[in-house]
Amino acid sequence: MIQTETLELLEWERLCRHLSTFTATKLGAVAAQHLHIPTTPRETLQLLAQTQEAYTLELRQNGLKFEGIEDIGVYLERVERQGMLSGNELLNIATTLAGARQLRRSIDNQSDVPILTELLAELRTHPQLEQEINHCIDERGDVADRASPKLGEIRGRLRSLRDRIYEILQNIIQRKSNAVQEQLITQRGDRFVIPVKASQKDVIPGIVHDTSTTGSTLYIEPKATIDLNNQLRQIQRQEKAEEEIILQALSDQVGAVKPDLERLLIIVTMVDLAVAKARYSLWLEANPPSFIDVESPEKVLSNPIHLRQLRHPLLVWQQQHEQGFPVVPIDVMIHPKIRVVAITGPNTGGKTVTLKTIGLAALMAKVGLFIPAREPVELPWFDQVLADIGDEQSIEQSLSTFSGHIRRISRILAAINPPEKTEENTRSSSLILLDEVGAGTDPTEGTALAIALLQYLADHGLLTIATTHFGELKSLKYEDERFENASVEFDEQSLQPTYRLLWGIPGRSNALTIAKRLGLNSEIVEKAASYVGESSEEVNQVIAGLEAQRRQQETKAQAASQLLKDTERLHQELAQKAAALKQRERELKQVQEQAIQDTLIQAKSEIAKVIRRLQQGTPTGQDTSQATEALNQIAQQYLPSRKEPPKPPPEFKPKVGDRIRIPRFGQTAEVLTEPTSDGEITVRFGIMKMTVGLAEIESLEGLKPTIPKPPERKKEPTPEKEQKPERPLVRTSKNTIDLRGKRTSEAEIELDRMLGQIHDFGAIWIIHGKGTGQLRKGVHEFLTNHPLVERFELAPQNDGGVGVTIAYLVNR
């Protein structure tokens, strides 16, 4: 009785309806709406394993298919009573057999779903029965001509007789066209007739079977077809009798395998329910629960309860499908020694929702559903979930709110202490949820009753969670280590609850604060505060201090979490860069080794040629001398130590009046001054004069000028400064800029802005793309004269190649 009440209070039926929307068959939907709650941990673990395997299949191959499977249970009951099935009903049985066989095939050869494989292996799909039904019944559900030779012969006679009747009626219509209302042949009952004008009924003698609404048309069976129609009816009765014989024979075959078909429906329903649980869990973004061992005689938890970021499944559904408010998750972390949790806080703060969320989580775990919480999800296997939530006031039964609570609590106590319970095992493995315990009567007596009740439940229950407004219950934690405090958070600035659940901190009264902020007379509020007393105010101040410390710790924890995320991201980027560098190093070594091997092979080949020439005939001194010369030439060609150093390029010294080229501008110019000690000259092109560095010019033949070395200056001793550590060159999102698609002027502005902001990186990566090369050229010209850029180069091929430029920054 109390278990049924608890399910109603927790809105379990509503959750089951939501689950039924994820089923694929009518049988599965009915089973989901009347979900059986296991009574043993073993049954729960079996259901949970089925859900886990179905979850795996959903992620891998979009789940199992249940096409063609129908609810044939009613048909089986009829054949058990020797009843006859219709053609469509037999077709449904055939498609169900085919669908079950296809379901079994879909998980064949899959080693990681042993439970579902074993379950579906029990199916007996009787392919012979399916083939017989499909042979006798066509796709419209009618008995086919091929069902029996006799039926085929009867239908052949029917077609012949029907064609003869049509031919006679068609001749009458053509000969008596003036008397016919419409040029058609129709039926009234099972007789073929033609529509005749009422005024011309004597023209076509026969039997009148019907009249039109206006009376202007009579439907007459001509005398010429009366005998034929009579014969037709007789043959039709023969056809009907033969069809019934065939349908009864097929029905008897179905009845012969009724136990197998009933077992098939049970298995298919179990699998459909497991798939629905997996799909619902996937939609909830839920995780599988693991149960804490509670099999010890003392019923003591061996591990804490972990339900982090737990969400109410019905509120999640409301948010997604009914445009509800965002769901605020709660953290439920209960130490193994805790037996009673007292949740305090203001009204509408979420205390009752918290009770329902925890209760639903326990029930979902029992039926094999995943829990909408973060991993790890750990909780006990409760043999019962019992709740007293809400108001049970009844005018008809003369029950007050207090009386209603007491009667329900009495039923809860009777459920956890059944008469057959032995003295050796006095503790129940039940989860008990009490809302506003002790409310509805005198506060003093209600508090005393609540304390006594919670102490009793601490002795006899596994876990009790109670909400209350009584401040005295907050102190139980400091008197008995089996008690714990929790509270729902309230924002005093906005006067709104945050719906967060806080552990270890009792909720403080906010009535006077709320009343004052809502404009109640301050004199009344101050007088009420004086009645409360100093001790209560001191307690509230202590609680406020604890809440402030908690908020500070949360802020620091969030900052530390963000720092950890940033560190992990940077570590990942460094690891990727290091891996890329190692890969490039390996590739370069492979290229070098291949080049050396090719060189050795070629050198050995040429040496072998020399040796073969010496081996041909008797070598003379001249031959030996020629061979030695050939070997020296090979050594000169392939040994690096023998190669002559490259000749230095010819020097180019610009003089006044010489014509030179400035590649940066694509212009030729005239030299106006000799190079200065700083390596600069003045040039003129067109009407413009400008000073350029020797590194920026070249001769018309492409020769680069010799740049004079600056005179060495004596550096006066300066105090030693701490050298900056060399910064690693790592490409990240912060030192990479994408200029593709921009004009050169826009690119220069963005690049200059980035160079001014970069302080902690030794280089920046500039993505300009390949394209026509104009943007790359403009970027290089801009970097050449920028004071913050030491040098630049194109990126390696595996880092962007000619589409990316790496600019190395001046060490500041």
Side-chain angles (χ1 to χ4, degrees):
M1 177 64 181
I2 186 62
Q3 287 89 348
T4 303
E5 292 181 47
T6 297
L7 296 181
E8 293 177 357
L9 294 172
L10 296 178
E11 301 181 88
W12 178 249
E13 182 182 354
R14 185 178 165 199
L15 184 141
C16 292
R17 288 200 305 270
H18 294 170
L19 174 63
S20 68
T21 62
F22 291 89
T23 58
T25 67
K26 292 181 180 179
L27 290 170
V30 173
Q33 292 174 8
H34 302 85
L35 204 57
H36 167 68
I37 299 178
T39 56
T40 63
R42 181 178 180 181
E43 188 179 356
T44 291
L45 293 176
Q46 181 76 6
L47 293 175
L48 194 59
Q50 292 176 5
T51 305
Q52 182 69 66
E53 291 185 1
Y55 192 93
T56 301
L57 293 175
E58 284 292 315
L59 294 177
R60 179 188 306 157
Q61 59 182 25
N62 298 322
L64 301 175
K65 306 300 181 184
F66 295 81
E67 296 176 357
I69 297 176
E70 301 288 343
D71 183 4
I72 60 174
V74 178
Y75 311 156
L76 300 181
E77 293 177 2
R78 195 187 311 159
V79 297
E80 187 178 21
R81 299 191 298 269
Q82 306 301 318
M84 184 180 68
L85 302 179
S86 68
N88 284 320
E89 291 170 343
L90 289 167
L91 270 186
N92 287 339
I93 292 177
T95 59
T96 299
L97 292 172
R101 185 164 55 256
Q102 184 62 36
L103 180 64
R104 184 176 59 195
R105 288 175 179 170
S106 62
I107 65 170
D108 285 347
N109 303 320
Q110 299 200 36
S111 59
D112 55 349
V113 286
I115 295 177
L116 292 180
T117 301
E118 182 180 359
L119 188 61
L120 289 173
E122 300 178 19
L123 289 176
R124 296 193 62 188
T125 57
H126 295 281
Q128 298 86 356
L129 175 59
E130 176 193 343
Q131 292 174 3
E132 184 66 17
I133 292 175
N134 289 327
H135 174 74
C136 297
I137 309 298
D138 62 22
E139 62 275 4
R140 297 187 304 272
D142 298 327
V143 181
D145 295 354
R146 59 180 178 269
S148 73
K150 183 176 179 181
L151 181 62
E153 185 269 332
I154 291 173
R155 287 185 173 171
R157 289 161 51 197
L158 276 176
R159 286 190 292 269
S160 176
L161 189 56
R162 192 177 291 114
D163 291 343
R164 185 177 174 189
I165 293 172
Y166 262 79
E167 182 180 358
I168 294 173
L169 294 178
Q170 195 67 41
N171 290 333
I172 294 174
I173 290 175
Q174 292 176 359
R175 287 186 288 105
K176 309 291 186 180
S177 60
N178 293 332
V180 176
Q181 190 74 269
E182 292 182 79
Q183 299 286 325
L184 60 85
I185 300 172
T186 184
Q187 281 184 287
R188 286 298 183 266
D190 54 357
R191 316 288 289 192
F192 287 97
V193 297
I194 56 177
V196 180
K197 297 176 183 178
S199 59
Q200 302 288 329
K201 64 178 182 178
D202 296 332
V203 176
I204 303 177
I207 301 174
V208 178
H209 288 279
D210 197 5
T211 306
S212 66
T213 305
T214 60
S216 60
T217 303
L218 302 178
Y219 293 92
I220 297 176
E221 178 186 7
K223 289 182 179 181
T225 61
I226 292 176
D227 290 339
L228 295 176
N229 274 325
N230 291 338
Q231 295 177 31
L232 185 65
R233 291 184 63 181
Q234 292 175 0
I235 299 176
Q236 286 174 340
R237 280 193 289 268
Q238 295 175 12
E239 178 192 30
K240 183 69 174 177
E242 183 64 20
E243 287 178 350
E244 290 177 354
I245 292 173
I246 294 170
L247 292 175
Q248 187 63 57
L250 293 174
S251 301
D252 292 341
Q253 293 183 43
V254 172
V257 296
K258 175 178 175 290
D260 292 340
L261 297 182
E262 288 178 335
R263 180 60 181 164
L264 180 146
L265 292 180
I266 293 173
I267 294 174
V268 168
T269 302
M270 292 172 62
V271 175
D272 188 16
L273 203 53
V275 172
K277 292 175 184 178
R279 291 171 179 170
Y280 185 38
S281 300
L282 190 62
W283 178 84
L284 277 175
E285 299 179 358
N287 289 297
S290 58
F291 293 104
I292 302 170
D293 184 15
V294 292
E295 296 301 326
S296 60
E298 298 81 9
K299 298 294 183 183
V300 177
L301 298 183
S302 58
N303 293 296
I305 298 176
H306 284 97
L307 295 172
R308 295 183 300 166
Q309 299 293 296
L310 176 64
R311 294 168 292 139
H312 194 300
L314 301 184
L315 294 182
V316 174
W317 183 278
Q318 185 174 332
Q319 177 190 357
Q320 297 291 331
H321 293 282
E322 302 171 13
Q323 289 76 47
F325 296 103
V327 181
V328 179
I330 60 173
D331 292 329
V332 181
M333 312 288 287
I334 303 178
H335 194 273
K337 66 182 180 182
I338 299 300
R339 291 289 167 268
V340 178
V341 177
I343 303 177
T344 53
N347 288 326
T348 71
K351 300 190 300 295
T352 303
V353 174
T354 297
L355 291 182
K356 291 185 176 181
T357 304
I358 297 173
L360 283 176
L363 289 172
M364 292 172 70
K366 287 191 69 173
V367 301
L369 279 165
F370 291 2
I371 308 301
R374 289 180 55 189
E375 290 187 306
V377 179
E378 298 175 336
L379 75 166
W381 188 89
F382 297 105
D383 57 2
Q384 297 181 96
V385 178
L386 308 173
D388 171 34
I389 300 174
D391 187 0
E392 204 180 65
Q393 186 178 26
S394 173
I395 296 178
E396 293 181 358
Q397 299 180 12
S398 301
L399 293 177
S400 65
T401 299
F402 178 74
S403 300
H405 282 299
I406 292 301
R407 291 201 173 188
R408 190 178 285 158
I409 290 173
S410 298
R411 292 193 290 272
I412 290 175
L413 297 179
I416 66 173
N417 292 295
E420 64 273 11
K421 177 176 283 189
T422 62
E423 294 183 1
E424 291 79 8
N425 187 11
T426 59
R427 185 181 296 280
S428 168
S429 297
S430 300
L431 171 64
I432 302 169
L433 308 171
L434 303 177
D435 192 22
E436 301 296 348
V437 59
T441 186
D442 177 75
T444 303
E445 294 183 353
T447 300
L449 183 61
I451 292 175
L453 174 62
L454 294 181
Q455 288 176 339
Y456 178 86
L457 292 175
D459 294 332
H460 296 84
L462 182 61
L463 180 62
T464 300
I465 303 178
T467 67
T468 181
H469 281 288
F470 296 144
E472 289 79 355
L473 298 184
K474 306 173 186 177
S475 62
L476 292 176
K477 170 184 177 179
Y478 309 103
E479 301 172 1
D480 191 335
E481 64 178 4
R482 298 175 301 171
F483 285 74
E484 179 60 281
N485 284 331
S487 61
V488 289
E489 190 179 44
F490 187 83
D491 189 345
E492 292 186 359
Q493 301 299 323
S494 63
L495 299 180
Q496 295 291 332
T498 64
Y499 303 108
R500 297 177 60 201
L501 186 63
L502 310 178
W503 289 88
I505 302 177
R508 57 195 175 100
S509 174
N510 293 283
L512 299 182
T513 302
I514 295 173
K516 185 176 180 180
R517 290 185 178 274
L518 292 178
L520 187 63
N521 189 294
S522 59
E523 182 180 351
I524 298 175
V525 175
E526 292 172 1
K527 194 169 186 178
S530 66
Y531 292 151
V532 171
E534 294 182 359
S535 59
S536 177
E537 183 62 27
E538 290 175 357
V539 171
N540 283 338
Q541 290 178 358
V542 171
I543 295 175
L546 292 175
E547 291 177 350
Q549 292 179 10
R550 176 192 55 75
R551 284 192 290 269
Q552 291 176 1
Q553 293 298 327
E554 286 183 350
T555 302
K556 292 180 180 179
Q558 291 175 357
S561 176
Q562 184 61 40
L563 181 60
L564 179 60
K565 289 180 180 178
D566 294 341
T567 304
E568 290 176 348
R569 179 179 51 79
L570 182 59
H571 178 269
Q572 186 177 6
E573 292 178 353
L574 287 171
Q576 293 175 351
K577 186 66 177 178
L581 290 174
K582 288 182 179 179
Q583 179 63 25
R584 178 168 175 77
E585 183 180 359
R586 285 193 295 267
E587 293 175 354
L588 290 175
K589 285 182 178 179
Q590 291 176 357
V591 171
Q592 292 173 354
E593 290 175 359
Q594 186 62 41
I596 293 172
Q597 290 177 1
D598 294 343
T599 301
L600 289 174
I601 292 172
Q602 189 171 356
K604 288 179 179 179
S605 175
E606 296 187 14
I607 292 173
K609 292 178 182 179
V610 174
I611 293 174
R612 281 196 297 272
R613 287 201 304 269
L614 290 175
Q615 291 174 345
Q616 294 173 356
T618 303
T620 62
Q622 185 178 0
D623 294 333
T624 304
S625 176
Q626 291 177 353
T628 302
E629 181 63 25
L631 290 176
N632 288 335
Q633 291 179 359
I634 294 173
Q636 188 72 21
Q637 181 178 358
Y638 293 107
L639 293 179
S641 58
R642 300 288 188 90
K643 292 183 179 180
E644 295 183 0
K647 296 181 179 179
E651 295 184 353
F652 165 61
K653 294 181 179 180
K655 299 177 181 178
V656 177
D658 288 348
R659 302 289 296 179
I660 52 92
R661 181 184 295 109
I662 307 176
R664 178 158 65 114
F665 301 112
Q667 298 283 341
T668 59
E670 180 185 357
V671 179
L672 299 180
T673 62
E674 294 289 340
T676 64
S677 60
D678 294 331
E680 294 181 341
I681 60 174
T682 302
V683 298
R684 176 175 60 196
F685 53 90
I687 60 173
M688 295 181 60
K689 293 182 181 180
M690 66 181 302
T691 301
V692 296
L694 291 177
E696 300 180 63
I697 68 172
E698 62 182 20
S699 68
L700 297 181
E701 292 78 18
L703 300 178
K704 292 292 185 180
T706 303
I707 301 175
K709 295 183 179 180
E712 295 185 0
R713 298 179 181 177
K714 270 193 173 183
K715 293 186 179 179
E716 297 183 1
T718 56
E720 293 185 1
K721 294 183 180 179
E722 184 180 354
Q723 293 183 352
K724 295 184 179 179
E726 185 177 356
R727 294 165 292 185
L729 301 181
V730 179
R731 180 176 179 179
T732 67
S733 59
K734 294 184 178 180
N735 64 349
T736 301
I737 182 172
D738 192 348
L739 302 178
R740 288 175 294 184
K742 300 184 182 297
R743 297 180 179 177
T744 303
S745 57
E746 296 173 346
E748 290 179 354
I749 294 173
E750 291 194 19
L751 188 54
D752 185 69
R753 184 185 299 113
M754 183 176 185
L755 288 170
Q757 294 174 351
I758 290 293
H759 300 289
D760 300 326
F761 297 89
I764 64 172
W765 276 255
I766 306 164
I767 304 174
H768 44 64
K770 301 176 181 178
T772 61
Q774 291 300 319
L775 181 58
R776 178 178 68 246
K777 180 178 179 182
V779 168
H780 287 182
E781 291 175 358
F782 177 81
L783 294 175
T784 300
N785 297 318
H786 202 286
L788 298 180
V789 178
E790 180 177 332
R791 60 188 177 87
F792 60 88
E793 64 183 12
L794 292 175
Q797 192 62 35
N798 64 346
D799 202 11
V802 296
V804 178
T805 294
I806 305 175
Y808 299 89
L809 307 182
V810 176
N811 191 8
R812 292 184 288 175

